[in-house]
Amino acid sequence: QVQVVESGGGLVQPGGSLTLSCTVSGSNFRRLDMGWYRQAPGRQRGLIATMTFGGTPWLVDFLKGRFTISRDNDKNTVYLKMDNLKVEDSAAYYCAVMGQQGTMMGDSRWGQGTQVTVSS
């Protein structure tokens, strides 16, 4: 019933920018803590950013200054703005419901992922 859908990925040159969107349907988005993960080939999926339902952001240290997480509750959407992209940022990016609500949702907490490729 709950659906998490990411969009906005694509091919971008090093130094470029891209904004990912994640829309959640079938739930009360305003009550959800949200997060972004990324997974490069051969690596485990890692958490890089979170945004609580109250609007408190967290970003992994090595992405500070380049990535920004935000949300728009009226649009049931969480965003990940990526600036000054580097080749090593290439990965599949996933949105997920965090916290207790995410745990209750099981696998449905995950979106299908959107691919970001940074290349010249």
Side-chain angles (χ1 to χ4, degrees):
Q1 194 66 35
V2 177
Q3 188 172 15
V4 180
V5 180
E6 307 97 332
S7 63
L11 177 64
V12 63
Q13 295 183 351
S17 297
L18 209 59
T19 298
L20 307 181
S21 299
C22 171
T23 300
V24 181
S25 61
S27 186
N28 187 353
F29 182 78
R30 282 182 167 82
R31 301 178 66 181
L32 301 179
D33 298 330
M34 301 298 300
W36 284 98
Y37 293 73
R38 73 182 187 184
Q39 185 173 23
R43 300 181 182 179
Q44 70 176 25
R45 192 173 300 182
L47 180 66
I48 59 172
T50 61
M51 173 68 73
T52 69
F53 73 88
T56 301
W58 172 86
L59 185 69
V60 66
D61 283 346
F62 65 84
L63 293 178
K64 289 182 177 177
R66 296 197 299 118
F67 285 25
T68 304
I69 187 170
S70 63
R71 70 189 294 158
D72 186 340
N73 288 337
D74 291 334
K75 297 181 179 179
N76 290 351
T77 300
V78 61
Y79 303 94
L80 185 68
K81 188 175 188 296
M82 306 181 294
D83 295 318
N84 301 317
L85 283 161
K86 303 176 179 180
V87 173
E88 53 263 41
D89 294 321
S90 297
Y93 285 74
Y94 296 87
C95 181
V97 180
M98 309 297 293
Q100 185 176 359
Q101 295 302 314
T103 300
M104 296 296 102
M105 292 169 60
D107 288 343
S108 64
R109 68 187 283 256
W110 295 100
Q112 83 291 341
T114 185
Q115 181 67 42
V116 173
T117 302
V118 185
S119 176
S120 298

Short mmCIF file of all heavy atoms in Angstrom, two decimals, residues 6-55:
data_model
loop_
_atom_site.label_atom_id
_atom_site.label_comp_id
_atom_site.label_asym_id
_atom_site.label_seq_id
_atom_site.Cartn_x
_atom_site.Cartn_y
_atom_site.Cartn_z
N GLU A 6 11.68 7.16 -6.08
CA GLU A 6 12.71 8.16 -6.33
C GLU A 6 12.74 8.55 -7.80
O GLU A 6 12.35 7.77 -8.67
CB GLU A 6 14.11 7.63 -5.96
CG GLU A 6 14.23 7.09 -4.55
CD GLU A 6 14.09 5.58 -4.50
OE1 GLU A 6 13.40 5.01 -5.38
OE2 GLU A 6 14.66 4.97 -3.58
N SER A 7 13.23 9.75 -8.06
CA SER A 7 13.40 10.21 -9.42
C SER A 7 14.48 11.28 -9.45
O SER A 7 14.88 11.80 -8.41
CB SER A 7 12.10 10.77 -9.99
OG SER A 7 11.66 11.91 -9.26
N GLY A 8 14.96 11.60 -10.64
CA GLY A 8 15.90 12.69 -10.80
C GLY A 8 17.33 12.28 -11.11
O GLY A 8 18.17 13.15 -11.34
N GLY A 9 17.61 10.99 -11.11
CA GLY A 9 18.95 10.54 -11.43
C GLY A 9 19.27 10.72 -12.90
O GLY A 9 18.41 11.05 -13.71
N GLY A 10 20.54 10.51 -13.22
CA GLY A 10 20.96 10.64 -14.60
C GLY A 10 22.46 10.77 -14.72
O GLY A 10 23.19 10.52 -13.76
N LEU A 11 22.90 11.16 -15.89
CA LEU A 11 24.31 11.34 -16.18
C LEU A 11 24.69 12.80 -16.03
O LEU A 11 24.02 13.68 -16.58
CB LEU A 11 24.62 10.86 -17.60
CG LEU A 11 26.05 11.04 -18.10
CD1 LEU A 11 27.02 10.21 -17.28
CD2 LEU A 11 26.13 10.67 -19.58
N VAL A 12 25.75 13.06 -15.29
CA VAL A 12 26.19 14.43 -15.06
C VAL A 12 27.72 14.47 -15.07
O VAL A 12 28.38 13.50 -14.69
CB VAL A 12 25.63 14.97 -13.73
CG1 VAL A 12 26.15 14.16 -12.55
CG2 VAL A 12 25.94 16.45 -13.56
N GLN A 13 28.27 15.58 -15.51
CA GLN A 13 29.72 15.74 -15.53
C GLN A 13 30.26 16.09 -14.15
O GLN A 13 29.55 16.66 -13.33
CB GLN A 13 30.11 16.84 -16.53
CG GLN A 13 29.79 16.51 -17.97
CD GLN A 13 30.25 17.58 -18.93
OE1 GLN A 13 30.68 18.66 -18.53
NE2 GLN A 13 30.18 17.28 -20.22
N PRO A 14 31.51 15.74 -13.88
CA PRO A 14 32.11 16.14 -12.61
C PRO A 14 31.99 17.65 -12.39
O PRO A 14 32.20 18.43 -13.32
CB PRO A 14 33.57 15.72 -12.76
CG PRO A 14 33.53 14.59 -13.72
CD PRO A 14 32.43 14.95 -14.70
N GLY A 15 31.64 18.04 -11.17
CA GLY A 15 31.43 19.44 -10.85
C GLY A 15 30.01 19.91 -11.07
O GLY A 15 29.65 21.02 -10.65
N GLY A 16 29.19 19.08 -11.69
CA GLY A 16 27.82 19.43 -11.95
C GLY A 16 26.92 19.20 -10.76
O GLY A 16 27.35 18.78 -9.70
N SER A 17 25.64 19.49 -10.95
CA SER A 17 24.65 19.36 -9.89
C SER A 17 23.46 18.53 -10.34
O SER A 17 23.15 18.45 -11.53
CB SER A 17 24.15 20.75 -9.45
OG SER A 17 25.19 21.52 -8.91
N LEU A 18 22.80 17.94 -9.37
CA LEU A 18 21.63 17.13 -9.62
C LEU A 18 20.78 17.12 -8.37
O LEU A 18 21.32 17.11 -7.25
CB LEU A 18 22.06 15.71 -9.98
CG LEU A 18 21.17 14.85 -10.89
CD1 LEU A 18 20.97 15.52 -12.24
CD2 LEU A 18 21.81 13.48 -11.09
N THR A 19 19.48 17.14 -8.52
CA THR A 19 18.57 17.06 -7.38
C THR A 19 17.68 15.84 -7.52
O THR A 19 16.99 15.67 -8.53
CB THR A 19 17.71 18.32 -7.26
OG1 THR A 19 18.55 19.46 -7.04
CG2 THR A 19 16.75 18.20 -6.08
N LEU A 20 17.71 14.99 -6.51
CA LEU A 20 16.87 13.80 -6.48
C LEU A 20 15.60 14.09 -5.68
O LEU A 20 15.62 14.85 -4.72
CB LEU A 20 17.61 12.63 -5.85
CG LEU A 20 18.98 12.29 -6.43
CD1 LEU A 20 19.56 11.08 -5.70
CD2 LEU A 20 18.90 12.05 -7.93
N SER A 21 14.52 13.45 -6.08
CA SER A 21 13.24 13.58 -5.38
C SER A 21 12.75 12.21 -4.94
O SER A 21 12.99 11.22 -5.61
CB SER A 21 12.19 14.22 -6.29
OG SER A 21 12.58 15.52 -6.68
N CYS A 22 12.07 12.19 -3.83
CA CYS A 22 11.48 10.97 -3.31
C CYS A 22 10.07 11.28 -2.83
O CYS A 22 9.90 12.08 -1.90
CB CYS A 22 12.32 10.40 -2.17
SG CYS A 22 11.56 9.03 -1.28
N THR A 23 9.09 10.66 -3.46
CA THR A 23 7.70 10.88 -3.11
C THR A 23 7.12 9.63 -2.46
O THR A 23 7.31 8.52 -2.94
CB THR A 23 6.89 11.25 -4.36
OG1 THR A 23 7.42 12.46 -4.93
CG2 THR A 23 5.43 11.49 -4.00
N VAL A 24 6.41 9.84 -1.37
CA VAL A 24 5.81 8.75 -0.61
C VAL A 24 4.30 8.85 -0.69
O VAL A 24 3.72 9.90 -0.42
CB VAL A 24 6.25 8.77 0.86
CG1 VAL A 24 5.63 7.61 1.63
CG2 VAL A 24 7.77 8.73 0.96
N SER A 25 3.66 7.76 -1.06
CA SER A 25 2.21 7.71 -1.10
C SER A 25 1.70 6.59 -0.20
O SER A 25 2.43 5.65 0.12
CB SER A 25 1.71 7.49 -2.53
OG SER A 25 2.18 6.26 -3.05
N GLY A 26 0.46 6.70 0.22
CA GLY A 26 -0.15 5.66 1.03
C GLY A 26 0.16 5.74 2.51
O GLY A 26 -0.10 4.78 3.24
N SER A 27 0.68 6.86 2.96
CA SER A 27 1.01 7.04 4.36
C SER A 27 0.94 8.51 4.71
O SER A 27 0.87 9.36 3.82
CB SER A 27 2.40 6.47 4.67
OG SER A 27 2.66 6.52 6.07
N ASN A 28 0.96 8.79 5.99
CA ASN A 28 0.98 10.17 6.45
C ASN A 28 2.41 10.66 6.45
O ASN A 28 3.15 10.47 7.42
CB ASN A 28 0.36 10.29 7.84
CG ASN A 28 0.19 11.73 8.30
OD1 ASN A 28 0.65 12.67 7.64
ND2 ASN A 28 -0.47 11.91 9.43
N PHE A 29 2.81 11.29 5.35
CA PHE A 29 4.19 11.68 5.16
C PHE A 29 4.70 12.58 6.27
O PHE A 29 5.87 12.50 6.65
CB PHE A 29 4.36 12.37 3.80
CG PHE A 29 5.76 12.77 3.48
CD1 PHE A 29 6.68 11.82 3.06
CD2 PHE A 29 6.17 14.08 3.62
CE1 PHE A 29 7.98 12.19 2.77
CE2 PHE A 29 7.46 14.46 3.32
CZ PHE A 29 8.37 13.50 2.89
N ARG A 30 3.87 13.45 6.78
CA ARG A 30 4.27 14.39 7.82
C ARG A 30 4.76 13.71 9.09
O ARG A 30 5.48 14.32 9.87
CB ARG A 30 3.12 15.33 8.16
CG ARG A 30 2.91 16.45 7.17
CD ARG A 30 1.78 17.38 7.60
NE ARG A 30 1.77 18.60 6.83
CZ ARG A 30 1.22 18.72 5.62
NH1 ARG A 30 0.61 17.68 5.08
NH2 ARG A 30 1.26 19.88 4.99
N ARG A 31 4.42 12.45 9.28
CA ARG A 31 4.80 11.72 10.47
C ARG A 31 6.01 10.82 10.25
O ARG A 31 6.41 10.09 11.16
CB ARG A 31 3.63 10.88 10.98
CG ARG A 31 2.40 11.71 11.32
CD ARG A 31 1.24 10.84 11.78
NE ARG A 31 1.53 10.17 13.04
CZ ARG A 31 0.69 9.35 13.66
NH1 ARG A 31 -0.49 9.09 13.11
NH2 ARG A 31 1.04 8.78 14.79
N LEU A 32 6.60 10.87 9.07
CA LEU A 32 7.68 9.96 8.72
C LEU A 32 9.05 10.61 8.78
O LEU A 32 9.26 11.70 8.26
CB LEU A 32 7.47 9.40 7.31
CG LEU A 32 6.18 8.62 7.07
CD1 LEU A 32 6.12 8.17 5.62
CD2 LEU A 32 6.07 7.44 8.02
N ASP A 33 10.00 9.92 9.40
CA ASP A 33 11.41 10.25 9.26
C ASP A 33 11.91 9.61 7.96
O ASP A 33 11.64 8.43 7.71
CB ASP A 33 12.21 9.70 10.43
CG ASP A 33 11.79 10.28 11.77
OD1 ASP A 33 11.34 11.44 11.80
OD2 ASP A 33 11.93 9.58 12.79
N MET A 34 12.63 10.37 7.17
CA MET A 34 13.07 9.89 5.87
C MET A 34 14.58 9.89 5.76
O MET A 34 15.28 10.61 6.47
CB MET A 34 12.48 10.77 4.76
CG MET A 34 10.97 10.83 4.73
SD MET A 34 10.20 9.21 4.42
CE MET A 34 10.91 8.80 2.81
N GLY A 35 15.09 9.08 4.84
CA GLY A 35 16.52 9.01 4.64
C GLY A 35 16.90 8.71 3.20
O GLY A 35 16.10 8.20 2.42
N TRP A 36 18.14 9.03 2.88
CA TRP A 36 18.73 8.70 1.59
C TRP A 36 19.92 7.78 1.81
O TRP A 36 20.74 8.00 2.70
CB TRP A 36 19.21 9.95 0.85
CG TRP A 36 18.11 10.76 0.22
CD1 TRP A 36 17.53 11.87 0.72
CD2 TRP A 36 17.50 10.51 -1.05
NE1 TRP A 36 16.58 12.35 -0.15
CE2 TRP A 36 16.54 11.53 -1.25
CE3 TRP A 36 17.66 9.53 -2.03
CZ2 TRP A 36 15.74 11.59 -2.39
CZ3 TRP A 36 16.87 9.60 -3.17
CH2 TRP A 36 15.93 10.62 -3.34
N TYR A 37 19.99 6.75 0.99
CA TYR A 37 21.11 5.82 0.96
C TYR A 37 21.72 5.84 -0.44
O TYR A 37 21.08 6.26 -1.40
CB TYR A 37 20.66 4.39 1.24
CG TYR A 37 20.15 4.10 2.64
CD1 TYR A 37 18.90 4.56 3.05
CD2 TYR A 37 20.90 3.34 3.53
CE1 TYR A 37 18.42 4.27 4.32
CE2 TYR A 37 20.42 3.04 4.79
CZ TYR A 37 19.18 3.51 5.18
OH TYR A 37 18.70 3.21 6.43
N ARG A 38 22.94 5.37 -0.53
CA ARG A 38 23.50 5.13 -1.86
C ARG A 38 24.30 3.84 -1.85
O ARG A 38 24.82 3.42 -0.81
CB ARG A 38 24.34 6.30 -2.35
CG ARG A 38 25.70 6.49 -1.69
CD ARG A 38 26.36 7.73 -2.28
NE ARG A 38 27.74 7.89 -1.82
CZ ARG A 38 28.50 8.92 -2.14
NH1 ARG A 38 28.03 9.90 -2.92
NH2 ARG A 38 29.74 8.99 -1.69
N GLN A 39 24.38 3.22 -3.02
CA GLN A 39 25.08 1.96 -3.16
C GLN A 39 25.81 1.92 -4.49
O GLN A 39 25.18 1.93 -5.55
CB GLN A 39 24.10 0.79 -3.07
CG GLN A 39 24.75 -0.57 -3.09
CD GLN A 39 23.77 -1.69 -2.82
OE1 GLN A 39 22.57 -1.54 -3.01
NE2 GLN A 39 24.27 -2.82 -2.35
N ALA A 40 27.13 1.88 -4.42
CA ALA A 40 27.95 1.74 -5.60
C ALA A 40 28.19 0.26 -5.86
O ALA A 40 28.10 -0.56 -4.94
CB ALA A 40 29.27 2.48 -5.42
N PRO A 41 28.51 -0.12 -7.10
CA PRO A 41 28.77 -1.53 -7.41
C PRO A 41 29.83 -2.13 -6.50
O PRO A 41 30.89 -1.53 -6.29
CB PRO A 41 29.24 -1.49 -8.86
CG PRO A 41 28.59 -0.26 -9.42
CD PRO A 41 28.61 0.73 -8.30
N GLY A 42 29.55 -3.31 -5.96
CA GLY A 42 30.50 -3.98 -5.09
C GLY A 42 30.54 -3.48 -3.67
O GLY A 42 31.36 -3.97 -2.87
N ARG A 43 29.70 -2.52 -3.33
CA ARG A 43 29.68 -1.97 -1.99
C ARG A 43 28.31 -2.13 -1.36
O ARG A 43 27.30 -2.25 -2.04
CB ARG A 43 30.06 -0.48 -2.01
CG ARG A 43 31.45 -0.20 -2.56
CD ARG A 43 31.76 1.27 -2.52
NE ARG A 43 33.07 1.57 -3.08
CZ ARG A 43 33.58 2.78 -3.17
NH1 ARG A 43 32.88 3.83 -2.75
NH2 ARG A 43 34.77 2.96 -3.71
N GLN A 44 28.28 -2.12 -0.05
CA GLN A 44 27.00 -2.21 0.65
C GLN A 44 26.28 -0.87 0.60
O GLN A 44 26.89 0.17 0.39
CB GLN A 44 27.20 -2.65 2.10
CG GLN A 44 27.86 -1.62 2.99
CD GLN A 44 27.94 -2.06 4.44
OE1 GLN A 44 27.94 -3.25 4.74
NE2 GLN A 44 28.02 -1.10 5.35
N ARG A 45 24.98 -0.95 0.77
CA ARG A 45 24.18 0.26 0.80
C ARG A 45 24.45 1.03 2.09
O ARG A 45 24.39 0.47 3.18
CB ARG A 45 22.70 -0.11 0.68
CG ARG A 45 21.77 1.05 0.42
CD ARG A 45 20.35 0.55 0.15
NE ARG A 45 20.30 -0.31 -1.02
CZ ARG A 45 19.19 -0.85 -1.50
NH1 ARG A 45 18.02 -0.61 -0.91
NH2 ARG A 45 19.24 -1.63 -2.57
N GLY A 46 24.76 2.31 1.96
CA GLY A 46 25.10 3.12 3.12
C GLY A 46 24.21 4.33 3.27
O GLY A 46 23.85 4.99 2.29
N LEU A 47 23.88 4.65 4.50
CA LEU A 47 23.06 5.81 4.81
C LEU A 47 23.89 7.08 4.67
O LEU A 47 24.98 7.18 5.24
CB LEU A 47 22.51 5.70 6.23
CG LEU A 47 21.61 6.83 6.72
CD1 LEU A 47 20.31 6.88 5.93
CD2 LEU A 47 21.34 6.66 8.21
N ILE A 48 23.37 8.08 3.95
CA ILE A 48 24.11 9.31 3.76
C ILE A 48 23.38 10.55 4.28
O ILE A 48 24.03 11.56 4.55
CB ILE A 48 24.49 9.52 2.28
CG1 ILE A 48 23.25 9.58 1.39
CG2 ILE A 48 25.46 8.42 1.82
CD1 ILE A 48 23.56 9.98 -0.04
N ALA A 49 22.08 10.49 4.42
CA ALA A 49 21.34 11.66 4.87
C ALA A 49 20.02 11.25 5.48
O ALA A 49 19.41 10.27 5.04
CB ALA A 49 21.10 12.64 3.72
N THR A 50 19.56 12.01 6.47
CA THR A 50 18.24 11.78 7.05
C THR A 50 17.55 13.11 7.31
O THR A 50 18.19 14.15 7.45
CB THR A 50 18.29 10.98 8.37
OG1 THR A 50 19.04 11.71 9.35
CG2 THR A 50 18.91 9.61 8.16
N MET A 51 16.24 13.05 7.37
CA MET A 51 15.41 14.21 7.69
C MET A 51 14.25 13.73 8.54
O MET A 51 13.42 12.95 8.08
CB MET A 51 14.92 14.90 6.42
CG MET A 51 13.93 16.03 6.65
SD MET A 51 14.67 17.48 7.46
CE MET A 51 15.65 18.14 6.11
N THR A 52 14.18 14.20 9.77
CA THR A 52 13.08 13.81 10.64
C THR A 52 11.79 14.48 10.22
O THR A 52 11.79 15.46 9.46
CB THR A 52 13.37 14.17 12.10
OG1 THR A 52 13.35 15.59 12.25
CG2 THR A 52 14.72 13.62 12.55
N PHE A 53 10.68 13.95 10.73
CA PHE A 53 9.40 14.57 10.41
C PHE A 53 9.32 15.99 10.96
O PHE A 53 8.56 16.81 10.45
CB PHE A 53 8.24 13.72 10.95
CG PHE A 53 8.06 13.77 12.45
CD1 PHE A 53 7.28 14.74 13.05
CD2 PHE A 53 8.67 12.82 13.27
CE1 PHE A 53 7.11 14.79 14.42
CE2 PHE A 53 8.50 12.85 14.65
CZ PHE A 53 7.72 13.84 15.21
N GLY A 54 10.13 16.29 11.98
CA GLY A 54 10.19 17.62 12.54
C GLY A 54 11.10 18.57 11.81
O GLY A 54 11.19 19.74 12.18
N GLY A 55 11.81 18.08 10.79
CA GLY A 55 12.64 18.95 9.97
C GLY A 55 14.10 19.01 10.37
O GLY A 55 14.82 19.91 9.92
#
